[in-house]
Amino acid sequence: MVVMTVEGVIVDLDGTVYHGETLLPGAASAIDVLRERGLGICFFSNNPIHDGSEYVERLRGMGVDAREGEACSSGVVTREYLNGSHAEDNVFVIGSDQLRGLVEGTNARLVEDPAETDVLLASWTDGFHYHDMVDALRAIDEETVFLGTDPDRTFPGEDGDPVPGSGAIINAVAGVIERDPDRILGKPSEIAVQAALERLDCAPADCLIVGDRLETDIAMGERNGMTTVLVRTGVSNERSLERSAVTPDYVIDSLADIEQVLTSLDR
C-alpha cells in the first residue's frame, strides 16, 4: 500500500451515509472525524432528482455536518453538462418531474413533443411506462444525442434492499431504440470526476473515495488514481466483490469505521 496524504474525500450518500430517510449508525460521527482532520468533503450521489443544496439540507436534517457547496449529484452534473454542451438544444426527458425541473434551469429547452428532440435524456422515474418507450422511438434518429443521468441499475431502498434505478430505465430505453447512450453522466464518468475534484480543489492522488458500489464509486476512484474504500452497508456484498474486476483498496463494515482507514494511511 502506497502511503498518501489525504486532502479530500468523496463520500457517496445512498447506501453509505443513509438508506432512504434513515441515517446509518455512526455516519454523522464519521463526517465529524473527517472535519477534525481538516479534510475537504464532497458528498456525491448518483441520485438524479436533487441538486447540491437539497442534499446539504437533507443531510443537515439528519444531523450530519454538511456545508453549502459540498454536495453534488448526477442531476447537478447533468445540468452542468447541458449548459456547457447543449445550450439552446431541445431536450426530451424520460424521467422524474424533479429532473425536468433541473433541465428547466439550464440553457437548454425542455420539450414535451418527442418529435422536436435534439437530446433524449433518460433517467429514473417510478412512473416509467410503456408510453415512455414509444416516446423514445419517436424522439430518436441519427442526429439525436442520447444521454443517461447515471448507470445505477439499483439503489438501496428504505430497508436497504435494492430497488430499480436509472440504469434499469436507461437500459430499457436503449433496448427499444437499439442504441447505447452517447454519454452517461454520473459516477464513474470523467465529467463526474471533474465535478467532484473542482469542489474539493485537490488532485486525484490526494483524494479518498468512499462508497457502496463497486462499478461506480470504486471504479471511479480506481480509474483516476484515488484511494478507494468500499462499505458493506449498500448494494455490494462479498459475492459481488469476489466476481468484480474492480478491487477496492479498503473494505470496511460501514462509514463509521473510516478512522481505521485514515490511521492506516498515516503510517
Side-chain angles (χ1 to χ4, degrees):
M1 185 69 63
V2 177
V3 177
M4 64 171 282
T5 301
V6 181
E7 295 182 5
V9 185
I10 302 170
V11 182
D12 176 56
L13 292 176
D14 294 299
T16 301
V17 174
Y18 51 68
H19 287 156
E21 298 301 320
T22 303
L23 183 70
L24 290 169
S29 297
I31 299 304
D32 291 339
V33 167
L34 301 180
R35 297 275 183 219
E36 290 164 5
R37 285 177 169 259
L39 304 180
I41 299 173
C42 175
F43 299 101
F44 202 134
S45 174
N46 255 0
N47 187 321
I49 67 174
H50 300 298
D51 68 14
S53 61
E54 290 174 301
Y55 278 112
V56 168
E57 182 178 352
R58 181 180 188 183
L59 289 165
R60 285 176 173 173
M62 293 179 170
V64 177
D65 182 7
R67 303 174 186 178
E68 290 302 324
E70 288 185 335
C72 192
S73 71
S74 64
V76 171
V77 171
T78 298
R79 182 178 64 196
E80 293 175 354
Y81 183 76
L82 290 175
N83 272 331
S85 299
H86 294 287
E88 307 302 326
D89 285 350
N90 291 340
V91 180
F92 185 85
V93 174
I94 295 174
S96 65
D97 289 340
Q98 294 96 324
L99 180 62
R100 288 187 177 87
L102 288 175
V103 173
E104 285 181 325
T106 71
N107 295 323
R109 290 188 294 263
L110 179 69
V111 295
E112 299 299 327
D113 183 353
E116 299 177 357
T117 304
D118 299 312
V119 178
L120 174 62
L121 175 63
S123 183
W124 176 88
T125 171
D126 60 1
F128 185 62
H129 194 277
Y130 178 81
H131 296 308
D132 291 313
M133 292 189 285
V134 174
D135 285 340
L137 284 169
R138 303 296 177 264
I140 206 75
D141 61 27
E142 293 85 355
E143 296 181 354
T144 306
V145 176
F146 178 26
L147 301 177
T149 56
D150 64 279
D152 293 5
R153 290 182 299 102
T154 65
F155 63 92
E158 185 68 40
D159 57 3
D161 289 336
V163 294
S166 297
I169 291 170
I170 294 166
N171 288 342
V173 172
V176 75
I177 67 175
E178 297 184 290
R179 178 175 157 188
D180 291 332
D182 296 294
R183 284 183 182 271
I184 297 182
L185 299 166
K187 298 178 289 185
S189 75
E190 288 303 311
I191 298 166
V193 172
Q194 181 179 357
L197 294 179
E198 284 176 354
R199 286 162 173 80
L200 289 171
D201 192 25
C202 72
D206 298 322
C207 187
L208 196 70
I209 183 166
V210 186
D212 71 309
R213 191 178 293 270
L214 287 160
E215 66 272 23
T216 55
D217 304 306
I218 306 306
M220 185 169 92
E222 185 176 89
R223 292 174 189 174
N224 291 278
M226 303 174 189
T227 297
T228 57
V229 183
L230 180 74
V231 295
R232 294 189 176 99
T233 49
V235 297
S236 296
N237 54 32
E238 295 302 324
R239 184 179 181 185
S240 58
L241 186 59
E242 289 173 2
R243 294 182 172 186
S244 177
V246 179
T247 304
D249 295 310
Y250 296 89
V251 180
I252 56 178
D253 288 336
S254 72
L255 185 60
D257 299 322
I258 194 61
E259 191 162 20
Q260 297 175 14
V261 175
L262 297 173
T263 300
S264 175
L265 290 170
D266 285 340
R267 292 172 185 165

